[in-house]
């Protein structure tokens, strides 16, 4: 998506963009997912992961003939708007194409204390990593760090909120392909997961045989 500094609020004579969490065209759960993917893309240090999230967001919005861009003013704002407003060649919003400004959705990406925001979730997960490392040593701590990386880059949720299927994805795919584990880490990964969940006093989601 091409970013632009032009504010939709200055694009025409209508008011109300972003007053509601979704338009009739764009369901609230789609808006929430687009925001989640945008936050992950902005915060992850891995550009490949960031690009994957932007592409996932584009694919999601394409189903509704919407597109996304991040407007970088004093504070960054995610703007979701109909594709027909966007000039792909020039990479800008064409104000002459805007028929109803209320069709757009603007979501501030900075200046929020929302406990569900990516930074707060990542800090929570990193605290778990530190506790596991302190209680059980570096091998389990490194495995916990790999799980925190996976959760932050892929799902932006607390470790204890992972589903069994998501945990299975970590063990069978991400851990093997992306974590570069040592032999000791590989040998104890399931034990490490048990210790991670014991640390947060939560049951381990069923992830085996998935």
């Amino acid at each position: 998506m091409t970013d632009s500094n032009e504010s939709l609020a200055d694009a025409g004579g209508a008011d109300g963009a972003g007053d509601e969490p979704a338009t009739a065209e764009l369901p609230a759960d789609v808006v929430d997912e687009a925001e989640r993917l945008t936050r992950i893309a902005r915060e992850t240090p891995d550009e490949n992961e960031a690009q994957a999230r932007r592409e996932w967001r584009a694919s999601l919005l394409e189903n509704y003939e919407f597109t996304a861009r991040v407007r970088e003013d004093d504070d960054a704002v995610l703007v979701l708007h109909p594709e027909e407003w966007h000039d792909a060649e020039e990479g800008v919003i064409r104000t002459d194409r805007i028929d109803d400004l209320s069709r757009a959705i603007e979501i501030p990406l900075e200046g929020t204390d929302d406990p569900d925001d990516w930074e707060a979730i990542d800090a929570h997960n990193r605290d778990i990593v530190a506790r596991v490392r302190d209680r059980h040593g570096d091998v389990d701590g490194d495995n916990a760090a790999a799980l925190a990386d996976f959760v932050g880059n892929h799902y932006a949720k607390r470790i204890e909120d992972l589903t069994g299927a998501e945990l299975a994805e970590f063990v069978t795919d991400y851990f093997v392909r992306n974590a570069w584990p040592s032999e000791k880490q590989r040998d104890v990964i399931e034990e490490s997961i048990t210790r991670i969940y014991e640390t947060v006093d939560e049951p381990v989601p069923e992830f085996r045989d998935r």
Side-chain angles (χ1 to χ4, degrees):
M1 303 300 111
T2 301
D3 292 349
S4 169
N5 288 328
E6 180 185 7
S7 171
L8 287 176
D10 298 328
D15 294 324
D19 288 346
E20 298 297 332
T23 68
E25 300 170 89
L26 208 55
D29 60 340
V30 173
V31 174
D32 290 344
E33 181 67 358
E35 178 184 359
R36 186 183 75 85
L37 293 169
T38 301
R39 290 186 182 279
I40 296 174
R42 287 172 61 81
E43 298 294 344
T44 181
D46 187 325
E47 178 54 30
N48 290 331
E49 292 282 359
Q51 182 60 27
R53 295 303 169 271
R54 289 190 288 266
E55 291 175 358
W56 185 355
R57 180 187 67 191
S59 177
L60 176 71
L61 295 173
E62 186 178 13
N63 294 327
Y64 299 88
E65 298 184 342
F66 264 64
T67 191
R69 65 190 180 92
V70 174
R71 190 178 70 235
E72 300 282 0
D73 294 328
D74 292 336
D75 295 310
V77 176
L78 171 64
V79 182
L80 310 178
H81 58 83
E83 287 182 352
E84 64 202 61
W85 295 1
H86 186 255
D87 188 316
E89 292 185 2
E90 297 184 11
V92 297
I93 297 293
R94 288 283 300 275
T95 58
D96 58 307
R97 297 181 183 178
I98 298 176
D99 54 351
D100 180 358
L101 194 59
S102 67
R103 296 174 69 195
I105 300 169
E106 297 193 1
I107 304 167
L109 296 173
E110 298 177 0
T112 176
D113 294 324
D114 185 345
D116 291 330
D117 112 299
W118 189 93
E119 290 184 0
I121 291 171
D122 189 61
H124 170 85
N125 290 336
R126 299 299 168 182
D127 177 67
I128 294 173
V129 172
R131 289 158 60 193
V132 170
R133 192 179 300 278
D134 182 62
R135 295 181 186 183
H136 301 289
D138 285 340
V139 175
D140 289 319
D142 289 345
N143 283 344
L147 181 58
D149 289 342
F150 167 77
V151 173
N153 289 337
H154 290 263
Y155 292 104
K157 60 168 63 174
R158 302 186 309 166
I159 286 174
E160 56 266 45
D161 293 334
L162 283 173
T163 66
E166 291 163 351
L167 194 54
E169 180 187 355
F170 166 73
V171 173
T172 61
D173 187 28
Y174 182 92
F175 183 71
V176 176
R177 296 173 182 269
N178 302 101
W180 297 94
S182 67
E183 184 176 349
K184 287 183 179 180
Q185 284 179 260
R186 291 194 299 270
D187 288 344
V188 301
I189 183 58
E190 292 195 8
E191 290 89 342
S192 293
I193 289 172
T194 297
R195 289 166 186 150
I196 291 166
Y197 280 85
E198 286 176 347
T199 299
V200 294
D201 196 26
E202 293 286 346
V204 180
E206 183 53 56
F207 65 93
R208 300 171 181 85
D209 302 322
R210 284 181 177 267

